[in-house]
Amino acid sequence: MSDTSASNERRTRQRFAAQRDGKTIFWVELDGHRLPLNDLSLEGFSYASEISPELGLEFPFALRLEGIPDRVRGRARIVNYVNAAAGGQVGCRFLSFDGDGAFDLHDWLTVHVITSASVRISEQEAKAIVAGPSLI
């Protein structure tokens, strides 16, 4: 993976909103704080912050899926910060996962796609969407 700013700012995999029916379902635990995610992909995540973080900072994380006691743990890096009038957004890229974390995240996103789809889709179709290229 390249460390250039251009490669750090764009995910090549599809991003998924971290909400369902207007409620946050994906969370990240950072330094003992539980923060709602804005979006999540196999490559990384973003969350709201009014404070501009240190770009390049590496940190441990734990992802949570509402209603599921398990966590996906690993390390991530802050790759960008977008400031906006309503508050900023921190973009993070996964560096590594503990244990089966990458597999578990793929499963979580597959279930999210199936349950959020407006039309019936198969598990294989959902897995392809999760693993596929960004559509936006």
Side-chain angles (χ1 to χ4, degrees):
M1 188 178 336
S2 170
D3 280 338
T4 66
S5 61
S7 68
N8 284 338
E9 290 185 14
R10 296 285 177 211
R11 288 184 233 168
T12 57
R13 298 266 174 83
Q14 183 61 37
R15 298 179 199 195
F16 300 95
Q19 296 82 29
R20 184 181 309 132
D21 299 326
K23 297 178 185 169
T24 300
I25 62 165
F26 290 109
W27 303 81
V28 66
E29 294 175 353
L30 301 174
D31 294 326
H33 296 93
R34 183 177 179 215
L35 305 171
L37 292 182
N38 292 336
D39 64 61
L40 179 63
S41 76
L42 293 178
E43 294 177 326
F45 58 91
S46 71
Y47 62 90
S49 176
E50 294 181 12
I51 301 169
S52 179
E54 177 187 341
L55 296 182
L57 178 70
E58 295 182 9
F59 58 91
F61 68 85
L63 297 177
R64 300 288 311 263
L65 173 58
E66 196 67 36
I68 303 295
D70 297 333
R71 291 172 174 82
V72 169
R73 296 179 187 276
R75 291 194 61 78
R77 174 186 298 136
I78 296 174
V79 293
N80 65 21
Y81 179 75
V82 178
N83 196 10
Q89 178 171 293
V90 178
C92 303
R93 181 178 294 273
F94 296 125
L95 297 174
S96 63
F97 293 96
D98 295 352
D100 291 332
F103 178 79
D104 293 340
L105 176 59
H106 192 280
D107 275 357
W108 286 5
L109 289 173
T110 299
V111 169
H112 181 54
V113 168
I114 291 169
T115 58
S116 299
S118 58
V119 296
R120 181 176 267 237
I121 62 173
S122 70
E123 182 178 354
Q124 291 77 19
E125 291 169 321
K127 284 181 177 183
I129 291 168
V130 169
S134 179
L135 302 174
I136 55 172

